[in-house]
Every structure is written in structure tokens, then in C-alpha cells.
Amino acid sequence: MRTSTALQYLYLQKPISSVILICLIAVLPWIALGDFATKGEPREAAVAVSMLESGNWILPKVYANEFAYKPPMMHWLITVFSLPEGKVTEFTSRLPSALAYTFIMIFVLILFGRKTRFQEAFIATLLLITCFEIHRAGMTSRVDMLLTAFIVIGLIRLFRWEDKMELKGLPVVIPLILSGAVLTKGPVGIVLPLFVFSVYLLMLRKYSLLKISKSIVYIGVASCFIPLLWYIEAWRQGGNEFLNVILAENFGRFLHLGEVNIPYDLGHENGAWYNLVTLVAGFLPWTLLLLFSLFGLKCSKLKTTFKQWVKTVWSKVLSMEKIKLFSLVASVCIVFFYSIPGSKRSVYLMPAYPFIALFIAQYFIYVVEYHARILRLFAYVLLSIVSIVFIIILFHLTGTVDYYHWIAGFISKQSFLDQAHAIIKSLSPGIIQVMIYLFFLFSAGVLIYQLKKKINIKILYASFLLVYCMNLFIDGVAMRSIRNEGSARSFAKEIQQDYQLNKTNVYVMNDLRNYANLYGLNFYMGNRFRNFETEQPNNGFFLSTEKDYPKIQQQFKGKYTFVTLRTSTKIISDIRSKAVLSRFTKAN
């Protein structure tokens, strides 16, 4: 397979610099362009707000005297990034995830680049940069991307410890990395990497059980020391309430405990099949190429017994190159590990993505060499999608089609119509839109040109470029508008201007088993909410969702009188309802 001089320079002469630039362009310009519109992002950001204002970096109080469910590494980073400006913003809140996303790509490229054909490593890295799950997490103020970075980099360092030093010496960097993982999301930051590494060492059949045990115990104990300091101090501040949350989050989820001593449901209950479905969705759009390629494969009859076939496969697995064996073990062990808990989310599997990507990259090179028609079919599908998008944009700009009224003829759900209206408005040309449209057109032109030239590897790289630009369009145009449309910012600004709200007179319910928490409003109002149920104040202002408001009035009937002051004009995304501000007075 021949590649152009430009591509050779890109991935042979300056690969790390190129990947850093690609990653930063993919996420950095866009993380500041959309408000918080999910409950997770403002919940994490509010912890940093509290750290910045209170000076408590161990266990700060947030939403109505609630403390964070997760350890503080993410919040520490957000707070540090927010210090220069003196306030927490969407940009500083999402910056840790964006940087973690970039560091993952650098370490993966270096590891695979040294141990495999560099083209495989480069394609695997491009897969990670452009696939749906990893890209989305790199744009989000959640702990999952940071945890993934610590686990993946920790696994890479563990692999190199065995590969270069054969478990000799006392590595210091590995425990520090795994300590970071624990301080991001708890003991899973140690348990998962050491589980993967233990299985890998056993499959190498090179070390005694005693040697493996000593190595694992050393890394495990050394990795616990720094996090233990935080846990002890947090327990001193939070007492049994903190301990209950820690036990529930780290053991209740894993052991399928439905009833635990915490004021909220653990949630995310799914079957084992869920992990496979989310892996398929997470690698989009590249799973489409995998799916197309299946139709080009020829099935041969099994000429041996199943038992003999299993022995043959096992023998091939054990004889794999070390990096491939390690990647296989990591992929299988991580997916298996997260199949055990009752609680499952797609982001839990992200540490497996780099290792799965290596095998997908190798398979793509095989498709390029032997099933090029499949690759070209996939490229034409991408071009068809892009063509449809540009036709929609063209019809909107020329006024040929009124998309909002057309959509309203089929769908009546207001929240969906609001989002559709936001996307339609975002298509109108501005500086950002025009730049993205030009990139989009350029990438489509490159792919069309390469399809005409029929150099298959260039078609694959051009497809990566087009998908990359599709992500830019989604982040810079569509998602920004969707987030802003469903944000709580406008309602927060409106009621703060019209009513005398402060940190002593704004109350909410904090009972997640029965009512929704207004995390978006809490962040955009400066983390000022107080707990109505526990404080039972004489008077003040009360905020709730439109859905919960009648239930709250009924619950406190005879004890409090509520007078509705303002209802948000639009549905707020993180609560999936309109918000209601009322004034309450305690009955005599």
C-alpha cells in the first residue's frame, strides 16, 4: 500500500505533534460553546464552585448540603483551572476531560507505535479520536474520561514494566497513576488495572504465582497510600453519611444491592447484553464499516471438532505477540468486569476502547488490502450522509423548506420541537458555521478525489478526515444549539434579576428517590440552594420542577402555603420539565 508524502510526514515524521494538534482542534474550541444541559455536568462543576468559595478541598457541600458522590480529583483540576479567572465556567469544567482525551491518544500512539506497524498504531489512534463514545466523553464535564486516562496510562505503564524490566525494581510512577484513578472514582481505579495485569501475567506463563502475587500486592498497597489520606479526612468530615455513600457507590453497584443506606437509587440497571450494544454504538461510525465487511467474508465449514477448534484458538492466543495478547486480555477483562455489576453505563467500558481499536485497525488494513470494494461502499455512505446534510442546509438558507413546521406536522412533543428549532436556527451562517462548512466541503472533496484515484489506503484516511469534520459540525453547530436551548441559564438569570434571591432564602427538595434535583439551576445560580425538608424555614423562595410541584404542595399541605411566581417558558433539559419558582410561608 502506497501513501502520499504528506501522509508519511504526518504519521512518520511528526506523529505525536500531529495527534496533539488533531485532538486539541477536535475538542478545545468547542468545550466553551455550549451551556450545561445534562444533570451530570453542572453537578460536578458545582463541587468545584464550592471548593473555590469555601476553601474546603476535601468534602465541600454542594446542592442543598449534599456532598459529592465521587472522589475529588476531577473537582480539584476544575478548581485549579478556574483559579486564574476566579470562577468556574463550562470551559474550565470540561478542560480536564479534553486534556485526558488528548493524553490517552498520545500514550496509545507511543505504545502501539513501538510495538506494532506504525500504520496500525496511527489508524487505531484515529479510530479513538473520531469514534462516538470517546469523542463525546472528551467534551463532557464528567469523571469518566479522566478515569479512563488514568486506567489506560496505568495499564500501559504496567505493560512496559513487565516488557522492559520483567517486574524487577520498585516502580514509583505506576502507583501514582493508579492513585489518581482512585481519587477520580474510587477503588475501581486499582482493582480493574491489577485484575487485567494479573490475567496477562498468568497467560504469559513466565512467572511463578508468588512473583505475580508480590508484584500485584506491591502495586496495590503503594497505590492506596495517597487516596487513603483523602478517605480518612473525608470520613472525619462526613462521618457515617459519607461512609454510606462510598460503600453504596463502590460496592452496592457491583454487588447488585438494591437497598442501601443512601437517599437515592443507584440506577443504570441493565443486563450483560447492554455492554455489547454500547460497544457497537460507541465505535460508530466505524462499526458500519465492520458490518459492511462481514458480507465480504467467506464462511468455511468447521473441519475439526469444537474441542479441537477451541484448543487451536487457545494455542494461537498464547502465541500472540505480547502487545496483542495484552490488548486482547485488557479488552476481554474490562468488558467482563463491567458485566458483573447490575449498574451499567456505556462510559464504563471506555478503558477497553484503545485495546479494541488496535484489532479494528488491523482489520481495517486487511479490508483495505483484500476487500477494497467494502471500503469504497462505506465511503459512499459517508458522502451520502454529508450530501443530505448540505441539501438540508441549502434548503434552509434559501427558505425553500420551513423545517420547523414540517417537523411539527409529525411530532407534537415540545422538548423535541424546541431542540429541532435550535438546530435549525444554528444552520444560519456565522463565522463558526462558515468555517465548519468549508472544512466539511473540503473533506468531502478530498474523499471524492481519492475515490477517483482508487488508492485504497488514502480512501481510508480521507474517510477519517470526513468523520472528523462531521464531529466538528456536530460539536460546533448542532450540539452547541441543543445545549443552549435546554440550558437552565436563561431562567436562572431571569429570576435573579426579578426577585431578591440570595444564599439564605432559596430552597429545594433534596430527595432523589422522589423528586428531581435541579443541578443546572443550582450551578447557574451560584450553588446557593438550601434543603427545604431538613431546615423547615418560615418563609423564602422555593424551586422545583413543574412535574414535582403539585406533589410538594400536597406533601406540605396545611404546613406551608406556596404562591407561584414564575414558570420557565421552555423545558429545561437536565430535569426534562419546566422549572417553577414560588414563594412559601409557614402556616401559623
Side-chain angles (χ1 to χ4, degrees), residues 190-207:
I190 293 176
V191 174
L192 180 56
L194 293 187
F195 168 58
V196 172
F197 192 54
S198 300
V199 174
Y200 171 67
L201 293 178
L202 289 171
M203 293 192 68
L204 284 179
R205 299 178 298 173
K206 182 178 178 181
Y207 305 99

Side-chain angles (χ1 to χ4, degrees), residues 184-235:
T184 301
K185 205 173 181 179
V188 69
I190 293 176
V191 174
L192 180 56
L194 293 187
F195 168 58
V196 172
F197 192 54
S198 300
V199 174
Y200 171 67
L201 293 178
L202 289 171
M203 293 192 68
L204 284 179
R205 299 178 298 173
K206 182 178 178 181
Y207 305 99
S208 66
L209 284 175
L210 180 61
K211 178 69 173 176
I212 294 173
S213 301
K214 285 182 177 179
S215 301
I216 297 301
V217 169
Y218 164 73
I219 296 295
V221 172
S223 301
C224 288
F225 180 72
I226 295 176
L228 194 60
L229 297 177
W230 174 79
Y231 275 105
I232 292 172
E233 180 59 23
W235 187 12

Side-chain angles (χ1 to χ4, degrees), residues 133-134 144 147-148 152 192 272-280 283 330-339 344-356:
E133 190 69 70
I134 299 294
D144 304 292
L147 175 68
T148 299
V152 169
L192 180 56
W273 57 268
Y274 178 82
N275 285 341
L276 298 178
V277 172
T278 55
L279 276 175
V280 171
F283 271 106
S331 303
V332 173
C333 286
I334 292 169
V335 174
F336 170 76
F337 182 87
Y338 282 116
S339 296
K344 296 178 180 66
R345 293 181 65 226
S346 60
V347 291
Y348 294 169
L349 299 179
M350 288 197 303
Y353 274 64
F355 305 103
I356 296 173

